[in-house]
């Protein structure tokens, strides 16, 4: 509910520090996501001393998405019960346990369990970190700070790709296991969300948090009064979680968030990443498999960084629309290449540039728009009394879709062929662009209360009235 006053001096540097510290958990989650790429060949070749088939490794990779899907809704209740900060600090424990089990795994089943536990931590961070960042940030920089989450995920993926090129799986996993501990050591010094503190009647703590985030010179009175007024209205009109979820404004916000998560996963990002090594090989670029994944990781980080820089200038809608349109063109081009390759391999001998350029453009545009923006908007669209649960539902849908796409991609490719499969993703992405154009509101430069008012269709009301909805 942060308005951010233009009447009194406000420091933004502490907000950047807190947001980056929270995004340290996203960096750890990114290393978890990227781990499977450098680990696959060594593990299936027996590096750990026990057999790991390709089918078993598929489940090792997918177990993480199942863990993430299972935790999102419970973590939504925990966030509101013990707070955003303590929740993220407690997640260091399952992170550490999961990595320890993976490092010293004695069989495939132990790896399944380890990845599931790690998925619990990673999935919980995907709900908690965007929410925390959205609540500590002034509206002028909320988009930038919210994009740190996806930026640090891509940085974590690139990090594990890079160390995986030089370390065996054991030592790579040891390094990854240290990351959550580093996050915990840093984040313990960050403030709790003022929104949460006011909801627990800890007004003095909320004032201290705001002053930590905005500076001692900042006039906190208007901001703290708005938070207290919002909380007062919620307590005057208590409703059950089910009733809150059925409010028209919540249903609209949930539909938008679920739609963005759906198109993020169904645009074909997993298929493109899955094919990245093969594309580089087929194009005769001379780049080996490890280096090709690092190149992909570098492109993701750079493009996401660009998104961080422009999201509060260009807005969410423009980034999403540009991302969807260009991604659709890229997957159409890749589909043409693979369709021609399946029909006559010799027909694409001189077309190696097509899938490589399409791959690069796709990853860049995904990382600018549909990668970071759905997570950013998840922290913006919901009112404070339902944000934990509604955000968790959106996060759960994302991980369930990730699991379905990952596990069914090979079957889909076998049934339709690689070319038509990419065309299917292109068609879904075009529908995603239409969805954004007609249904997704612009949240750039608006306070969280103003966003709620716009979703409710009451653009001319005062912000303080919105949570009476």
């Amino acid at each position: 509910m942060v308005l951010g006053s233009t009447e009194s001096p406000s420091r933004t540097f502490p907000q950047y520090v807190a947001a980056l510290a929270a995004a340290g958990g996203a960096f750890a989650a990114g290393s978890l996501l990227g781990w499977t790429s450098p680990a696959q060949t060594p593990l299936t070749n027996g590096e750990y001393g026990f057999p790991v088939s390709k089918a078993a490794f598929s489940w090792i990779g997918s177990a993480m998405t199942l863990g993430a899907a299972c935790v999102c809704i419970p973590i939504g209740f925990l966030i509101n019960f013990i707070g955003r900060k303590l929740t993220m600090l407690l997640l260091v424990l399952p992170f550490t346990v999961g990595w320890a089990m993976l490092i010293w795994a004695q069989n495939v089943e132990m790896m399944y369990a380890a990845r599931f536990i790690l998925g619990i931590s990673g999935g919980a961070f995907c709900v908690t970190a965007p929410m925390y960042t959205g609540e500590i940030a002034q509206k002028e920089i909320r988009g930038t700070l919210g994009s740190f989450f996806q930026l640090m995920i891509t940085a974590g993926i690139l990090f594990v790709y890079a160390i995986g090129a030089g370390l065996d799986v054991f030592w790579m996993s040891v390094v990854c296991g240290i990351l959550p501990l580093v996050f915990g050591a840093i984040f313990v010094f960050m403030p709790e969300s003022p929104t949460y503190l006011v909801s627990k009647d800890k007004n003095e703590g909320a004032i201290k948090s705001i002053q930590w985030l905005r500076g001692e010179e900042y006039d906190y009175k208007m901001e703290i009064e708005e938070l207290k007024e919002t909380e007062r209205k919620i307590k005057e009109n208590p409703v059950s979680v089910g009733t809150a979820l059925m409010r028209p404004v919540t249903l609209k916000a949930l539909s938008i968030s679920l739609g963005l998560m759906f198109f993020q996963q169904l645009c074909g990002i997993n298929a493109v990443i899955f094919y990245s090594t093969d594309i580089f090989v087929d194009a005769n670029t001379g780049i080996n498999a490890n280096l090709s994944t690092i190149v992909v990781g570098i492109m993701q980080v750079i493009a996401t960084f660009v998104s961080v820089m422009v999201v509060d200038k260009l807005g969410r809608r423009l980034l999403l629309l540009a991302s969807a349109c260009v991604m659709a063109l890229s997957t159409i081009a890749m589909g043409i290449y693979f369709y021609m390759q399946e029909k006559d391999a010799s027909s694409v001998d001189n077309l190696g540039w097509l899938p490589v350029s399409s791959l690069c453009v796709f990853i860049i545009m995904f990382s600018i728009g549909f990668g970071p923006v759905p997570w950013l908007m998840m922290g913006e669209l919901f009112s404070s009394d339902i944000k934990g649960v509604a955000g968790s539902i959106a996060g759960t849908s994302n991980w369930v879709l990730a699991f379905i796409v990952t596990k069914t991609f090979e079957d889909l490719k076998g049934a339709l062929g690689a070319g038509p499969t990419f065309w299917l993703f292109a068609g879904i992405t075009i529908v995603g662009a239409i969805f954004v154009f007609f249904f997704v509101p612009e949240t750039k430069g608006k306070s969280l209360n103003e966003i709620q008012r716009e979703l409710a269709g009451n653009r001319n009301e005062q912000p303080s009235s919105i949570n009476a909805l």
Side-chain angles (χ1 to χ4, degrees):
M1 307 302 155
V2 176
L3 285 176
S5 174
T6 58
E7 301 295 327
S8 62
S10 173
R11 296 177 61 200
T12 58
F13 180 72
Q15 297 171 58
Y16 280 90
V17 171
L20 277 172
F27 187 89
S31 69
L32 169 62
L33 287 166
W35 179 88
T36 52
S37 181
Q40 180 172 4
T41 300
L43 286 183
T44 53
N45 286 342
E47 182 177 301
Y48 261 50
F50 52 83
V52 179
S53 66
K54 287 188 176 181
F57 189 83
S58 171
W59 279 106
I60 290 172
S62 300
M64 179 260 172
T65 59
L66 290 178
C70 289
V71 77
C72 285
I73 291 179
I75 209 69
F77 290 97
L78 188 63
I79 288 167
N80 291 332
F81 184 64
I82 67 172
R84 286 62 161 149
K85 177 180 176 179
L86 183 56
T87 297
M88 284 193 278
L89 288 174
L90 289 177
L91 290 174
V92 173
L93 180 60
F95 244 136
T96 305
V97 170
W99 279 118
M101 290 176 64
L102 198 59
I103 291 165
W104 290 288
Q106 302 298 308
N107 49 55
V108 171
E109 289 73 22
M110 195 169 173
M111 285 190 162
Y112 293 158
R115 289 280 295 177
F116 184 85
I117 293 171
L118 286 167
I120 288 174
S121 293
F125 265 112
C126 289
V127 173
T128 314
M131 184 183 301
Y132 174 83
T133 304
E135 291 178 349
I136 66 168
Q138 291 174 253
K139 64 181 181 181
E140 293 83 3
I141 59 171
R142 193 178 62 242
T144 298
L145 300 193
S147 297
F148 283 172
F149 175 77
Q150 183 70 18
L151 175 64
M152 294 300 275
I153 281 186
T154 58
I157 293 172
L158 175 59
F159 174 78
V160 79
Y161 284 173
I163 65 171
L167 299 176
D168 61 23
V169 176
F170 177 86
W171 286 109
M172 179 179 68
S173 301
V174 169
V175 173
C176 291
I178 294 172
L179 297 178
L181 300 176
V182 174
F183 157 77
I186 295 172
F187 192 67
V188 72
F189 297 104
M190 299 300 113
E192 176 58 274
S193 156
T195 302
Y196 169 76
L197 291 170
V198 169
S199 73
K200 297 299 181 182
D201 294 321
K202 297 179 180 179
N203 295 330
E204 288 299 319
I207 292 171
K208 290 179 180 178
S209 175
I210 291 172
Q211 289 183 321
W212 192 101
L213 292 162
R214 315 277 190 264
E216 293 292 333
E217 300 298 316
Y218 177 74
D219 183 3
Y220 61 83
K221 294 184 180 63
M222 183 177 71
E223 188 170 327
I224 199 72
E225 284 304 314
E226 184 190 355
L227 290 170
K228 289 166 67 175
E229 176 68 8
T230 298
E231 189 60 29
R232 182 183 67 79
K233 289 184 177 294
I234 291 172
K235 289 181 177 178
E236 283 181 355
N237 302 280
V239 294
S240 65
V241 171
T243 302
L245 281 172
M246 294 307 295
R247 288 187 305 222
V249 67
T250 305
L251 288 174
K252 186 173 182 180
L254 193 58
S255 298
I256 293 167
S257 189
L258 288 174
L260 291 175
M261 295 301 184
F262 176 85
F263 292 112
Q264 183 194 64
Q265 289 298 328
L266 271 293
C267 70
I269 181 61
N270 288 309
V272 171
I273 295 296
F274 180 87
Y275 256 100
S276 61
T277 300
D278 291 338
I279 287 172
F280 276 97
V281 172
D282 289 346
N284 295 315
T285 58
I287 300 175
N288 65 38
N290 284 333
L291 188 55
S292 68
T293 56
I294 292 173
V295 169
V296 169
I298 291 172
M299 286 190 296
Q300 285 184 297
V301 171
I302 293 174
T304 307
F305 182 76
V306 171
S307 178
V308 169
M309 294 295 100
V310 302
V311 68
D312 277 322
K313 296 180 177 66
L314 300 180
R316 285 60 155 162
R317 277 171 52 85
L318 180 59
L319 293 181
L320 287 170
L321 287 169
S323 175
C325 293
V326 179
M327 284 194 303
L329 292 174
S330 298
T331 43
I332 288 171
M334 281 186 275
I336 291 172
Y337 175 86
F338 286 113
Y339 181 79
M340 292 174 63
Q341 186 185 55
E342 288 176 344
K343 294 296 182 182
D344 180 8
S346 63
S347 66
V348 296
D349 286 344
N350 297 318
L351 289 177
W353 58 270
L354 179 62
V356 171
S357 57
S358 299
L359 166 76
C360 295
V361 170
F362 181 96
I363 289 173
I364 288 170
M365 294 308 297
F366 176 85
S367 300
I368 284 176
F370 261 93
V373 174
W375 293 110
L376 163 62
M377 295 192 72
M378 188 185 77
E380 296 181 323
L381 291 172
F382 302 109
S383 60
S384 60
D385 62 330
I386 199 62
K387 184 179 290 186
V389 176
S392 298
I393 292 172
T396 300
S397 72
N398 186 281
W399 289 111
V400 169
L401 287 166
F403 173 76
I404 292 172
V405 172
T406 302
K407 290 301 295 180
T408 61
F409 173 67
E410 282 296 328
D411 293 335
L412 193 62
K413 184 166 68 75
L416 300 179
T421 299
F422 278 100
W423 293 335
L424 175 62
F425 289 136
I428 293 172
T429 307
I430 291 170
V431 176
I434 296 170
F435 172 82
V436 171
F437 185 82
F438 286 104
F439 300 108
V440 177
E442 181 55 73
T443 59
K444 178 188 72 170
K446 298 173 183 175
S447 73
L448 301 184
N449 272 359
E450 288 168 341
I451 295 168
Q452 286 293 293
R453 185 169 69 246
E454 182 173 331
L455 287 172
N458 302 321
R459 291 181 174 82
N460 297 318
E461 290 184 11
Q462 293 300 312
S464 60
S465 67
I466 189 59
N467 278 286
L469 292 168

